[in-house]
Amino acid sequence: MSVLTSPRGKVEVVHCRRTESQDIYCIKNLIRKFTQKLFGRLNIIYLLEKANLAVTLCNDKEAIMAQATFVDYPNWNVSNQDNWVSVFRELDSEIPCTPLNTLFLHLFVAVDEYSVGCCREIIRTVFKAVPELHFIFLIVPSYMSLGSTLITVFEQVGNIPSLTYDEDFAVHICHRHNHYPQLHIRNARVEDHDDLMPIFMRYDTLLKETYGEYFLAELIEAQDEENHAVVCEVEGVAVGFMSVCSRVNMQLLHECFDLGPFHGLCIPHPDDVLQPPEELSIKGSQDAELGTSNHSSPEIVEEPREPVSPEAMEGIQGRITEEATAEELLSVVHSGNTSEMEDIENLTQQSTMGDTDGCVSCLRLASISMPKETSDFRPIYKGASAAFCIQLFCIEEKYEARSLDFMNFVFSLFPDKNFCIISLPHLTPEFALIQNFVKIVPFNNCTLEQDLYVFHRAGLLKSIKIRLATLLDTPGVENLVSTLMLNKSILEDLKQYNEARRDHDGTPMKAFVAEVAEQIVGIAVIRDEMDVEYIRSHYNIEDFIFFSHHQREEHGHLYHFALNPVFRHYTKFFLKEILRLGYKSCLYYPVYPQIREGKFQSSYAHSLTSALHYLVPVRPRRQIVYPLEKLGINAPSKAVSKDPLSYALNHTNRKLTLEPKITVNAKIVVVGASNVGISFLETLVFCSHLKFSNLTLISTHGLPGKKLLGTEQRKFLASDHCFHDQDYALMSLCSWVNVVVGRMIAIDRAAKHVVLSKEEIVLYDHLILCTGQQYQVPCPTGADISQHVTNREIPNSGKQQYTDKVPCNHFTLNDEEDCCKALSWIRNNSIIAEDVLQLL
C-alpha cells in the first residue's frame, strides 16, 4: 500500500497488481490523444497477450488509477525483437543492457490528477518484482516530448532510426538506482543493534526469550574467522542482518540428505567412495516399494555437467586430482573485487551437482526406466568442507526483494567456499532469498523437521546469454548432457537443426544454448507445434491465453531443456528468451504415460526438463463422443477427432515468464488412491499459481492407471465413471506426487506420522484419509440352508471379519492389480480364454 497526493491535496491509497482482462475497458478510457502519439495506436488485448509484465495501479475502492505494460523488445519497430541488444549497445556502449536486465515500456496510462505519483509507484513496483531488472527503456518519436509525467522518471540517451518509417525515434532510459537501488552490504557493528532489534521482534520473539535481550549484540561481538555478521543499510540505517558460519555438521547432512549430486558439499578427494560395491549394485533396492515419482524423490540422476576450462584448471592443479577434475561442473565463480572474466581465469568450483528440484520428475516424463536407488549405500567424502551456512537472517519487508545482494559479500568472506547452505523448518513460507537456492532431497529415513537449501557461488554471475545454437557448440553440449539418459536424442536433434533447421518430417525447429563465460551451460530444442487444433479442443488452454490473438506459427513445442543447476534460478529467463528469439508466444510440453513393460515409448520420448515446475499444468476438456460414421461429411476435422496417445499438457507463455509461483512446502499426505484421494490431488496439482512441493500418496498398489487394462481385465471391475486410464494419463500425477507403495497400519498423531506395514513411517503436516469403499471377503453367516432361511431371518453379520484362510480360488476385485492376479490364476489353472469370456 502507498499513499498518493494530488497537486490539489487529494489523497489516494493505492496498490499494484497484475493486469487482468477485465481491466481492458478502463485502460481504454484512460488513453488520450497524447498517449497515442507517444505509443501509437495499440490493440490493448493483443498487447496484453504478448506482454511479459503488465501492472495495474488501483485505489482502495479497486478503481483503476494507472496501467503500464512492459515487453522484452522495443516498440515502434526500431529493431527486430531478436537482435535489439546490438542496436542499443551502439547507441550508448556505457549502458550494459542485456535481455536479463532490460525491459521496454510499451504503454502507460494514468488518471491525470495522480499521473506523476502513479508513474513512480509503478516503476518502483516493477523494479521490486523483477530483481534482475536494471533498465527500463522508453522509445517515442523524436519530435515528441515525454510530457510532464514520464519526464520525471526517464532521461534521453540518443536517437535511433526505425526499420519501417523514414524518421528517427528518441530513446529514454530509467535506472533502477533511482527508484529501488541495490543494498549496501557491510560488516555488522554493535551500534546496529538498535536498528535491527525492531525487525527481529516483528517476526519472532523466541530468540530474545531464549538468549536474552542483547543476543544480537553478543552475536556481532563474537565475530572471528569462522563467524561473520553482515548488515545491509539504507541511508545509514541497518535494514537487514545475516549471520554466517563456516562450521557445518557435514556428517549429519550426509546422513540425512542426498548430497551426491553436489559431491557432498566437499572438495573432491582421491579417496572419495562415490560408487556402491558391485554386490550392492547388483542387489539393488529391495525396499523400493517406498518409491517416489516426483521432484523430491530420492532417486537422483545428475543434471548436465560441464568440465572446467584448461585455463581455469591450471590455477587449481595442485588442489584437485585428475579424477576429481572429471567430476567438475563449471569453472565460474564471482568476486566483488575483479571482473567476472578475471575471476573465471583464477578460480573454480569443485562440485558435481544435480537439479534436485526437477530431474526425477522429468525422467518420468521422458518415459524411461529409472535405476533403483541403492538405499543401503551412502557415498563417503574425504575432502574438506566447501560450504558455509547462514545461521540467522532477517530483513525489512520493504527491501526483501533485494535479499540476494547479501550473497556477493558473504561469499567474499569465505574465498575457499563454493556453497552457501541454509536449513529451515519446512513450514516456513518461501521468501525472496530462498527462491534462488536449490532444495535438497532428503533420504527416506530422514526425520529432521528441516529443509536444506544450497546456493553455489557461480549463481551470482549475471553474464548468462541465450542464443541460437551453432555447429561449434556441439562439443560443449556433448559435455553438458553426457550424464543424461536421453543425451543421444538431444545430440541428434541438435545435429538435425545444424544441418537442416527442420525435422525429418519438415517441421521447423530451433535449438538454443545458454552460455556463461564462453561455456555452454544449457540447451533447449523446440519445434513448431503442429497439433494446435487438437490442443485447443482437448485442453482448457484458453484459461491462460486468448487463442485468437496467437498466430499458428507462434505456438512452440518444447522437446528438450537442460540447464546447469548452478543457474537454475535463471530457468524462467531461459524460457523467456526462447520465446523472444524464436518468435513464439506459447510453449507446450507433453507428459506421456509411463512406460509399459520397461520399454521406451521411443516415438513419444522427450528428454528430461528441469523446467517442469516453471510451467503450468493445463486441465483436459471433456470430449464429445462423435458417431463419425453416421455424421459423414458433417463430422469434425481429423485434427480434432483423432485419438492419439493421451498425454498431460504443460504450458507457458509470455505473460507467465515473469509471474512467480507460491511454493507450499507443507507435507500433505493422502492415504488411499480412491476417487476422493485422486480428485483431491488433482485439485492441488492444477492450481496454476501454487507449487505443492511435498505431496505424498500412500496406496497399496501405488497410483492407479499404471497398467493398461485389456478388455478381459476391464470386465472384472464395476465402472464408477469417475476416473479411467485416459484420465490418469491426462493428469500425470506421478510428475508431482510422491507415491509410497504400502499399507497404513497406525497413526501417531502426537509425532505426526503414519506407520506402514513394513514398520516404516511417513511424516505429515496435513493427513487426508480417503481409503474409499472396498469389497471384503464375506464372512459365513452360519445359516442352515436346509431350513430355507430368508435374508431377513439371517443374523446381521456386517461387523464380523473373516479371519480364516482365504481359499485360493476366491478373489476380491477392488483395483486393476487384483484383476490381473485373478486372470493370471485362472489362466495358470488350465481355464482357457474362451471359457473366461463365457464366464464373464
Side-chain angles (χ1 to χ4, degrees):
M1 292 286 186
S2 299
V3 179
L4 301 182
T5 304
S6 71
R8 294 190 295 174
K10 291 185 178 181
V11 176
E12 287 282 1
V13 179
V14 298
H15 65 276
C16 285
R17 60 170 173 80
R18 299 272 176 164
T19 301
E20 301 172 354
S21 57
Q22 57 263 32
D23 299 337
I24 293 175
Y25 177 77
C26 295
I27 295 172
K28 290 181 178 179
N29 291 336
L30 293 175
I31 294 178
R32 308 287 186 261
K33 289 185 178 180
F34 179 73
T35 306
Q36 293 182 350
K37 291 180 180 179
L38 279 181
F39 300 102
R41 299 178 63 90
L42 299 173
N43 184 330
I44 303 301
I45 302 178
Y46 180 83
L47 178 62
L48 294 179
E49 277 295 295
K50 302 304 175 68
N52 298 96
L53 181 62
V55 179
T56 297
L57 190 71
C58 301
N59 61 13
D60 53 352
K61 298 179 181 179
E62 291 301 320
I64 294 178
M65 305 290 293
Q67 198 276 338
T69 305
F70 301 87
V71 188
D72 58 2
Y73 58 85
N75 54 343
W76 285 112
N77 201 20
V78 296
S79 67
N80 294 325
Q81 71 179 50
D82 59 339
N83 66 351
W84 62 263
V85 177
S86 58
V87 176
F88 281 74
R89 287 283 178 83
E90 293 176 1
L91 178 67
D92 190 340
S93 59
E94 294 184 359
I95 300 177
C97 58
T98 66
L100 176 64
N101 63 21
T102 304
L103 285 177
F104 295 85
L105 179 62
H106 279 224
L107 177 65
F108 173 78
V109 293
V111 175
D112 295 335
E113 191 172 0
Y114 299 91
S115 59
V116 175
C118 290
C119 182
R120 290 182 176 275
E121 182 65 20
I122 286 180
I123 293 296
R124 188 189 68 83
T125 301
V126 170
F127 279 124
K128 182 178 180 180
V130 188
E132 299 85 8
L133 184 64
H134 285 271
F135 309 106
I136 298 177
F137 283 102
L138 171 62
I139 301 172
V140 299
S142 57
Y143 60 85
M144 290 290 299
S145 65
L146 292 185
S148 60
T149 300
L150 294 174
I151 195 65
T152 61
V153 296
F154 287 94
E155 59 184 39
Q156 186 170 352
V157 293
N159 294 328
I160 56 177
S162 173
L163 298 179
T164 55
Y165 302 104
D166 189 17
E167 60 178 304
D168 289 344
F169 288 82
V171 179
H172 300 77
I173 190 172
C174 175
H175 295 271
R176 164 184 285 279
H177 58 75
N178 294 326
H179 300 273
Y180 195 71
Q182 291 182 317
L183 300 175
H184 172 61
I185 312 297
R186 59 169 174 80
N187 288 314
R189 299 188 291 262
V190 177
E191 304 88 74
D192 299 322
H193 176 272
D194 293 341
D195 294 332
L196 295 172
M197 280 306 296
I199 304 176
F200 276 98
M201 294 301 101
R202 198 172 305 146
Y203 292 102
D204 191 3
T205 60
L206 181 62
L207 290 172
K208 181 179 178 180
E209 296 171 357
T210 305
Y211 299 105
E213 184 175 357
Y214 300 102
F215 75 93
L216 191 58
E218 295 171 357
L219 183 62
I220 295 174
E221 287 181 335
Q223 295 184 73
D224 53 31
E225 293 183 355
E226 295 182 337
N227 297 274
H228 295 275
V230 298
V231 299
C232 61
E233 68 174 17
V234 175
E235 298 179 353
V237 178
V239 297
F241 176 83
M242 179 180 289
S243 172
V244 292
C245 177
S246 61
R247 293 195 304 270
V248 179
N249 189 343
M250 300 303 297
Q251 181 179 356
L252 177 63
L253 295 183
H254 292 162
E255 290 175 356
C256 297
F257 297 95
D258 190 346
L259 296 171
F262 298 85
H263 201 85
L265 304 179
C266 296
I267 297 175
H269 190 276
D271 295 333
D272 290 340
V273 181
L274 304 178
Q275 298 295 333
E278 293 185 3
E279 59 271 14
L280 288 179
S281 301
I282 297 174
K283 179 182 178 181
S285 176
Q286 298 299 326
D287 59 350
E289 290 183 343
L290 276 174
T292 61
S293 309
N294 130 297
H295 52 277
S296 53
S297 166
E299 299 173 304
I300 298 298
V301 177
E302 294 177 6
E303 268 279 338
R305 296 179 297 185
E306 182 76 8
V308 298
S309 61
E311 294 81 6
M313 184 50 60
E314 291 177 1
I316 57 167
Q317 198 166 14
R319 295 167 50 197
I320 310 174
T321 64
E322 293 181 0
E323 180 180 357
T325 302
E327 296 295 323
E328 299 216 359
L329 181 62
L330 184 66
S331 61
V332 285
V333 295
H334 182 68
S335 172
N337 300 324
T338 57
S339 67
E340 288 181 358
M341 289 304 298
E342 292 173 344
D343 294 330
I344 291 165
E345 293 175 357
N346 295 305
L347 297 172
T348 187
Q349 70 177 57
Q350 299 88 35
S351 66
T352 303
M353 189 175 296
D355 187 346
T356 61
D357 190 38
C359 60
V360 175
S361 62
C362 304
L363 287 169
R364 297 288 186 179
L365 313 187
S367 295
I368 57 182
S369 57
M370 293 188 58
K372 297 286 186 180
E373 178 199 12
T374 307
S375 59
D376 295 334
F377 174 75
R378 296 287 187 270
I380 300 175
Y381 305 99
K382 300 293 186 179
S385 170
F388 66 92
C389 65
I390 298 176
Q391 291 181 312
L392 196 60
F393 172 72
C394 190
I395 190 171
E396 185 75 46
E397 183 179 2
K398 181 180 178 181
Y399 303 99
E400 183 181 359
R402 300 304 314 171
S403 299
L404 195 63
D405 294 345
F406 276 100
M407 301 307 296
N408 204 3
F409 188 86
V410 296
F411 269 109
S412 67
L413 299 175
F414 301 104
D416 59 333
K417 307 292 185 182
N418 287 323
F419 296 99
C420 175
I421 65 175
I422 182 172
S423 63
L424 296 169
H426 56 264
L427 290 180
T428 303
E430 187 177 76
F431 48 93
L433 180 65
I434 288 300
Q435 293 174 357
N436 298 281
F437 282 60
V438 178
K439 186 178 179 182
I440 305 300
V441 176
F443 286 123
N444 284 339
N445 58 355
C446 176
T447 58
L448 289 180
E449 296 184 359
Q450 300 274 325
D451 290 329
L452 182 66
Y453 298 84
V454 171
F455 183 86
H456 193 276
R457 180 189 293 268
L460 296 170
L461 294 175
K462 305 296 183 183
S463 59
I464 184 170
K465 176 183 178 182
I466 314 298
R467 57 174 175 79
L468 289 169
T470 65
L471 188 61
L472 298 177
D473 297 324
T474 302
V477 175
E478 288 178 350
N479 292 331
L480 178 75
V481 302
S482 60
T483 59
L484 301 187
M485 301 183 73
L486 285 180
N487 56 348
K488 292 183 179 179
S489 177
I490 297 176
L491 296 175
E492 289 174 359
D493 283 347
L494 177 63
K495 179 181 178 181
Q496 181 67 24
Y497 166 76
N498 286 325
E499 291 178 351
R501 299 295 193 267
R502 291 181 177 273
D503 207 345
H504 294 289
D505 59 1
T507 304
M509 62 184 300
K510 286 184 172 68
F512 303 89
V513 294
E515 185 180 51
V516 175
E518 300 181 356
Q519 295 193 49
I520 304 300
V521 299
I523 175 71
V525 178
I526 67 170
R527 293 175 171 84
D528 284 4
E529 180 57 70
M530 306 307 294
D531 289 333
V532 176
E533 292 84 2
Y534 179 84
I535 289 176
R536 187 179 186 184
S537 61
H538 285 70
Y539 299 89
N540 288 327
I541 190 63
E542 289 179 296
D543 289 346
F544 303 98
I545 62 174
F546 286 109
F547 215 91
S548 58
H549 291 280
H550 298 261
Q551 303 296 323
R552 183 182 181 89
E553 61 273 10
E554 290 183 310
H555 297 270
H557 186 114
L558 182 63
Y559 266 75
H560 307 294
F561 186 100
L563 182 63
N564 187 312
V566 169
F567 305 100
R568 186 185 66 89
H569 51 292
Y570 289 138
T571 300
K572 278 204 169 186
F573 171 68
F574 198 171
L575 294 172
K576 181 172 74 72
E577 284 296 277
I578 290 173
L579 294 172
R580 181 180 70 88
L581 298 175
Y583 288 84
K584 304 297 181 186
S585 60
C586 302
L587 282 179
Y588 304 95
Y589 185 84
V591 180
Y592 288 95
Q594 294 182 355
I595 52 173
R596 312 297 176 188
E597 299 178 359
K599 297 181 180 179
F600 280 111
Q601 296 172 346
S602 57
S603 59
Y604 301 102
H606 291 48
S607 71
L608 82 166
T609 167
S610 54
L612 182 65
H613 290 281
Y614 298 89
L615 309 178
V616 293
V618 185
R619 283 187 177 274
R621 298 180 62 180
R622 296 182 64 182
Q623 296 299 304
I624 300 174
V625 180
Y626 293 100
L628 300 178
E629 296 181 357
K630 294 181 179 179
L631 291 176
I633 60 174
N634 295 320
S637 66
K638 293 183 179 180
V640 174
S641 61
K642 67 179 181 179
D643 188 22
L645 181 64
S646 300
Y647 55 82
L649 185 66
N650 298 276
H651 164 79
T652 191
N653 55 57
R654 301 185 70 89
K655 294 184 294 185
L656 297 176
T657 52
L658 293 179
E659 184 171 340
K661 286 185 178 182
I662 300 174
T663 301
V664 180
N665 288 325
K667 296 179 179 180
I668 302 175
V669 176
V670 178
V671 179
S674 64
N675 290 333
V676 175
I678 298 299
S679 180
F680 175 79
L681 292 172
E682 178 192 23
T683 301
L684 299 186
V685 165
F686 282 98
C687 290
S688 59
H689 63 289
L690 299 176
K691 181 176 74 174
F692 292 89
S693 63
N694 215 330
L695 297 176
T696 302
L697 172 67
I698 300 176
S699 176
T700 306
H701 300 298
L703 273 173
K706 60 179 178 288
K707 292 180 179 289
L708 286 177
L709 294 184
T711 304
E712 297 174 346
Q713 297 101 317
R714 196 177 300 279
K715 286 184 178 181
F716 279 97
L717 286 178
S719 178
D720 58 8
H721 304 288
C722 288
F723 297 102
H724 51 77
D725 294 342
Q726 188 176 17
D727 293 326
Y728 295 122
L730 293 173
M731 288 187 291
S732 184
L733 291 180
C734 61
S735 301
W736 312 98
V737 180
N738 299 303
V739 180
V740 178
V741 180
R743 187 182 299 274
M744 183 187 72
I745 60 174
I747 302 175
D748 189 333
R749 288 177 171 81
K752 302 196 76 171
H753 69 246
V754 297
V755 183
L756 305 184
S757 53
K758 293 189 176 181
E759 298 183 355
E760 294 169 328
I761 64 172
V762 177
L763 301 175
Y764 69 85
D765 295 310
H766 305 283
L767 181 63
I768 314 298
L769 300 178
C770 41
T771 55
Q773 294 183 342
Q774 297 178 346
Y775 296 109
Q776 302 292 334
V777 177
C779 188
T781 63
D784 187 358
I785 60 174
S786 63
Q787 300 299 322
H788 303 287
V789 182
T790 64
N791 289 341
R792 291 182 179 180
E793 298 171 341
I794 296 176
N796 185 8
S797 60
K799 295 184 180 180
Q800 296 182 11
Q801 185 175 2
Y802 184 77
T803 57
D804 294 339
K805 182 179 180 181
V806 179
C808 63
N809 60 345
H810 179 91
F811 303 95
T812 53
L813 304 181
N814 288 305
D815 52 37
E816 56 196 30
E817 295 283 346
D818 296 336
C819 294
C820 293
K821 291 179 181 178
L823 187 60
S824 176
W825 185 92
I826 292 173
R827 286 175 171 166
N828 292 336
N829 287 271
S830 302
I831 302 179
I832 60 175
E834 289 78 4
D835 294 335
V836 174
L837 294 178
Q838 289 177 3
L839 291 172
L840 297 175

